[in-house]
Structures are given as C-alpha cells and as structure tokens.
Amino acid sequence: MADQAFVTLATNDNYARGAMVWGKSLRNHNTSKKLVALIGPQVSEPCQSVLKRIFDEVRVVDVLDSGDTAHLAMMKRPDLGVTFTKLHCWTLTQYSKCVFMDADTLVLSNIDELFDREELSAAPDPGWPDCFNSGVFVFCPSMETYGKLLQYCTEHGSFDGGDQGVLNGFFNNWATADISKHLPFIYNLSSIAIYTYLPAFKQYGGNAKVVHFLGKTKPWSYAFDPKTKQIAGSVQEAATHSTFLLDWWTLYSSAVVPMLQEQYGDQPFHSGCVEFQYSDMVTFQSAQGEGPSALVHAQALESQLSSEERKQKWEQGQADYMGMDSFDNIKKKLDTFLK
C-alpha cells in the first residue's frame, strides 16, 4: 500500500550510514512499502544526497533531547538523549501505518507482514522482557498521539533517559493486554544477546528476519577489508555477532560506499574499508567458511584478562560466549563442580 512506510532515524553521519545499509537491505528483499528517513540537521550534504537515492522521503527534523543525564549515566549511554527525536515519527500523518526501525538494524528477509500488526507491536527487550525493545515497532502516525507523547515526556520523563523508557511508560499495557502485539524475537534479534541462550539461538537463529546491533559499539565502529572479508575491532563485542557483522559490512562496502565516494568526490572521506595486517585484525569465519575463525584469537586475548576483569565483563553483560565463557566450557565447569 502506498500509504504505508518503513521509517528510520539518523541524527549524525554515522547513523546515516547505518540507515543507508538498512534501506538497501529492505530494497534487496523486495519490500513493497515506502522508505522514510528522519534526519537531524547535523547530517552532512553528501550523506543526505545518498539517503535521497535510497529512500522515498528524507525529512530533516529538530533534535529533541531528554536532558535526563542521571538515567543516561546509569546506562553509561549519554548519547541516547537525542533518541527522543524518534517521537517525530508520529508526525508522518500522510501514512496510515508505519514500522519504525533503528538505523543499527539489518533486514535479513522480507518483513512486509509486520504491517498486518497493530499499534504498538514490538518484540520483548532481552534485558527485561516485560518491556518492549523500541528498535522495531509498528505504529500509526497521529498528531494527537504525538501531542500526548510530548505531554507524557513533560510530566513523567523517561525511566531510562531514552525513547524506550518513554514509549514503555506511555504504552504501559504492552506486556499484559494483547499477546498479538508481541512480535517474535526474530523480528528484533539483539546481536549481543544471541549467545546468552545458546541452545535457543542454535534452534531458532536461522529464522532471524532482523538483527539489531545493540550496545555502544556499532557496525560502523569497526574496519573492514573488502578483499579478504575480514573485520578489525573489539573481539569482546564483535565475536558475539560475527556473521551478522560480516553481512552488514559486505552490503555497506559493495552498495553504499560507491555512492558515498561519488558524493564526496575529492573531499576527504573515510569509509572504514581498508587493508590491514593480521596483527591489527579480528578475523571471522563467514557462513561460506572463508577465512580463519576469530575463536583462537579471541581466547588468546581473553586469557590475558584477570579474574577480576572477567567478573566485571560478566556483570556488564559482556561475557565471552564464543571463547572462555562458551556454553560447553560453562557446562564442563558445572560438571566438575557437581562431581
């Protein structure tokens, strides 16, 4: 339907690149819906030009900020304040129904069936499943709802300092009212959570339709060698979603970078696609079995951590589920303890 759209948000050039990859992934899977990008005034002209080639509509919006430094500090994510800008999506009243998706998501198959769902449909957050994760949700644009959301922000603020706290507070019966508004996890598979229940990921992970690169380190934070299909970056976070990260970089380097290079011309531009030495990289084994595995390299680095550092990693939700803290290793420890 012409009056239905997928919507995303980019407040700076980094998130704009994420939006470009997201838009391309939807196009590659033959969506029949419109694509809309809400962008902040900080997004550069070259990035805006590329977005306009991928999206049906690119709209510049004012950046809203929760100003809630206390809760954002609690989450160690001061950058999340501007995610309040996401509320602008309710002003897209030329559309009858929309699906909002964060710019750090990647679409793995056609998901047009989401438009059969009602407002507010979303998937559970892996950290607290009675809250929904606001990275993917179905909504109906309405100036009345937009006004009520702003009023709610003024009166109640956000319990986490970001948009997720506001939206869960406003749509506060999501957990209990209507199970049909609970999207399956495969529509918002949190990349850093996929190994916390490894047997389930092995059972259902192949059905994933959307992967969400949660956490502070985003796909564009790494570097990538297009020739060797290798990625450089933090082992700790990258090892948890290596295949998905490789998918993101393959699409970005092949479909987005050429358009960006065309727009930047002679201007300095760092795409993140570089050639690098083995000593600088974390290599991943792709779905096709190309390249060495990151596991040995990750374990070598992890072994250098003290027990106190490992404990801190666990408390921060950053256990090395591909290495020392893998399901098999944990099982061995438990077996030894029980004996």
Side-chain angles (χ1 to χ4, degrees):
M1 293 177 66
D3 67 340
Q4 296 182 339
F6 284 104
V7 183
T8 193
L9 168 69
T11 52
N12 56 43
D13 280 4
N14 282 333
Y15 276 87
R17 293 182 194 187
M20 294 168 198
V21 174
W22 172 80
K24 277 289 186 181
S25 68
L26 276 164
R27 296 283 189 211
N28 287 352
H29 293 295
N30 303 312
T31 181
S32 63
K33 311 302 179 182
K34 299 282 189 180
L35 299 189
V36 178
L38 302 177
I39 63 170
Q42 286 184 315
V43 175
S44 68
E45 284 297 327
C47 283
Q48 288 193 37
S49 297
V50 174
L51 287 168
K52 287 173 183 174
R53 289 176 61 180
I54 299 171
F55 287 78
D56 297 292
E57 181 180 352
V58 177
R59 180 188 292 193
V60 180
V61 294
D62 293 329
V63 175
L64 304 175
D65 194 327
S66 73
D68 191 346
T69 53
H71 285 116
L72 291 171
M74 191 186 301
M75 296 174 67
K76 297 182 174 63
R77 293 296 301 279
D79 54 308
L80 287 179
V82 294
T83 58
F84 265 50
T85 309
K86 189 182 292 189
L87 302 182
H88 281 296
C89 67
W90 267 272
T91 68
L92 296 168
T93 52
Q94 68 271 45
Y95 302 105
S96 63
K97 187 182 289 185
C98 297
V99 174
F100 183 92
M101 300 178 69
D102 280 347
D104 58 351
T105 57
L106 180 69
V107 176
L108 306 175
S109 65
N110 187 286
I111 52 171
D112 286 0
E113 68 271 14
L114 285 177
F115 289 85
D116 295 335
R117 304 278 183 151
E118 299 302 319
E119 180 179 85
L120 185 290
S121 291
D125 187 85
W128 193 266
D130 275 350
C131 289
F132 58 82
N133 182 277
S134 60
V136 178
F137 61 85
V138 183
F139 71 101
C140 297
S142 158
M143 291 307 295
E144 181 183 0
T145 305
Y146 177 65
K148 288 179 179 178
L149 279 163
L150 292 183
Q151 184 179 352
Y152 182 90
C153 290
T154 304
E155 295 176 359
H156 304 283
S158 166
F159 66 74
D160 67 358
D163 66 273
Q164 185 160 305
V166 167
L167 293 175
N168 272 278
F170 186 80
F171 295 99
N172 58 14
N173 66 349
W174 174 86
T176 55
D178 186 353
I179 194 67
S180 71
K181 293 182 180 180
H182 289 217
L183 298 181
F185 195 53
I186 58 170
Y187 288 103
N188 191 352
L189 183 70
S190 306
S191 60
I192 59 173
I194 58 178
Y195 292 104
T196 55
Y197 187 13
L198 188 56
F201 179 71
K202 286 179 177 176
Q203 179 74 14
Y204 304 112
N207 299 323
K209 290 175 176 273
V210 177
V211 60
H212 188 180
F213 296 96
L214 282 176
K216 199 167 187 177
T217 307
K218 301 302 180 186
W220 51 83
S221 305
Y222 301 92
F224 177 70
D225 186 335
K227 291 182 180 177
T228 60
K229 298 245 187 301
Q230 292 168 333
I231 296 167
S234 162
V235 171
Q236 193 65 45
E237 289 196 42
T240 61
H241 49 71
S242 56
T243 304
F244 297 131
L245 195 58
L246 193 57
D247 290 342
W248 189 96
W249 270 99
T250 301
L251 182 54
Y252 171 71
S253 61
S254 63
V256 173
V257 170
M259 288 195 288
L260 285 169
Q261 288 172 332
E262 189 180 320
Q263 290 300 322
Y264 276 96
D266 296 330
Q267 297 178 54
F269 162 62
H270 180 58
S271 68
C273 295
V274 293
E275 291 185 30
F276 42 80
Q277 302 302 312
Y278 184 80
S279 59
D280 300 323
M281 72 189 176
V282 177
T283 55
F284 297 113
Q285 189 169 26
S286 72
Q288 291 76 31
E290 298 172 1
S293 167
L295 188 55
V296 175
H297 190 40
Q299 285 178 322
L301 287 183
E302 193 67 19
S303 66
Q304 298 169 15
L305 291 176
S306 68
S307 59
E308 184 60 32
E309 287 172 324
R310 282 189 67 205
K311 179 183 174 186
Q312 288 176 358
K313 292 287 187 185
W314 269 87
E315 289 172 348
Q316 293 166 8
Q318 295 178 350
D320 178 22
Y321 292 109
M322 290 289 284
M324 292 183 72
D325 304 315
S326 69
F327 178 78
D328 289 340
N329 284 345
I330 292 171
K331 186 174 182 299
K332 285 176 188 174
K333 290 251 184 179
L334 286 172
D335 288 343
T336 303
F337 176 77
L338 292 172
K339 285 175 184 176

